[in-house]
Amino acid sequence: MKIEIVVIGKLKEYIRPAVKEYIKMLSSFAEIKLTQIKHAKGYKDFDKSLKKEAEGIISQLKESDYVILLDQSGRSCDSISFANHFHQLIQINSSIVFVIGGPFGVDESLKKRANELLSLSDLTFTHQLAVVILLEQLFRAFKIINNQKYHY
Ligand SMILES: C[S@@+](CC[C@H](N)C(=O)[O-])C[C@H]1O[C@@H](n2cnc3c(N)ncnc32)[C@H](O)[C@@H]1O
């Protein structure tokens, strides 16, 4: 199965090995495509930058994509509930796309396009760390779904 993770902003050197490691660990369960979207720079109006970024992402999404936007205001759940929910989603959707906002979050239009908003915690993380936390939770979810031992 294919899972796409779209992140606004370039991943820094220090985070790349962790991302690579988790994508490798996940490879027996799913093919992870990581798409890094450039910040829309050069706009004096800050909201315009966010709108431009959102337009770029939305235009590349297919109607059939089930979009999960990572956002602090989203629904929070524990790892078991996430695994159960994710299990249901992968059974009924052929394409799941996670979107992670940039340093200033995302435009409202992206929130509207998303099928759901998911919170990782009440704490705010950088988009860099959010990618790694998401990947770890996906790995954990696949382990739970497949009744395999991991760090429960
Ligand atoms: C530095 S945060 C952006 C904070 C920004 N003030 C906002 O209002 O969203 C960068 C991105 O990482 C993700 N992120 C950070 N912390 C998160 C959390 N606790 N739950 C879900 N996503 C989070 C979100 O996608 C967010 O847009």
Side-chain angles (χ1 to χ4, degrees):
M1 91 148 300
K2 270 190 185 171
I3 298 169
E4 183 171 4
I5 300 175
V6 177
V7 56
I8 301 173
K10 209 166 170 238
L11 293 183
K12 292 194 175 161
E13 200 72 44
Y14 76 90
I15 219 84
R16 279 188 225 144
V19 168
K20 200 173 159 198
E21 181 66 21
Y22 275 109
I23 290 179
K24 192 172 138 204
M25 283 161 73
L26 276 155
S27 63
S28 54
F29 300 113
E31 188 188 322
I32 309 287
K33 180 181 175 203
L34 181 74
T35 306
Q36 298 173 60
I37 304 282
K38 270 191 186 166
H39 289 299
K41 288 180 184 153
Y43 292 92
K44 277 192 190 150
D45 181 357
F46 174 75
D47 286 344
K48 225 174 180 175
S49 301
L50 293 185
K51 272 198 176 69
K52 206 75 199 157
E53 286 169 0
E55 271 171 28
I57 293 171
I58 293 168
S59 70
Q60 300 211 5
L61 290 170
K62 291 192 282 310
E63 221 174 288
S64 55
D65 288 337
Y66 188 90
V67 179
I68 303 178
L69 174 68
L70 267 66
D71 195 274
Q72 246 175 297
S73 70
R75 188 173 67 94
S76 57
C77 53
D78 60 30
S79 294
I80 304 266
S81 330
F82 175 68
N84 291 334
H85 176 54
F86 183 66
H87 194 197
Q88 287 181 343
L89 289 180
I90 56 178
Q91 282 168 327
I92 51 177
N93 295 282
S94 55
S95 165
I96 298 192
V97 181
F98 289 90
V99 179
I100 299 177
F104 307 107
V106 296
D107 183 60
E108 276 303 308
S109 56
L110 208 41
K111 292 189 184 179
K112 285 197 183 115
R113 167 60 184 86
N115 297 84
E116 63 174 276
L117 267 59
L118 173 70
S119 166
L120 296 171
S121 148
D122 285 343
L123 302 171
T124 307
F125 306 113
T126 61
H127 58 292
Q128 316 273 338
L129 285 174
V131 179
V132 178
I133 296 168
L134 171 65
L135 285 167
E136 198 277 335
Q137 286 306 305
L138 285 172
F139 183 69
R140 188 175 291 271
F142 276 114
K143 286 289 204 185
I144 293 168
I145 291 166
N146 290 285
N147 288 316
Q148 292 176 6
K149 214 165 152 39
Y150 188 48
H151 307 287
Y152 285 92

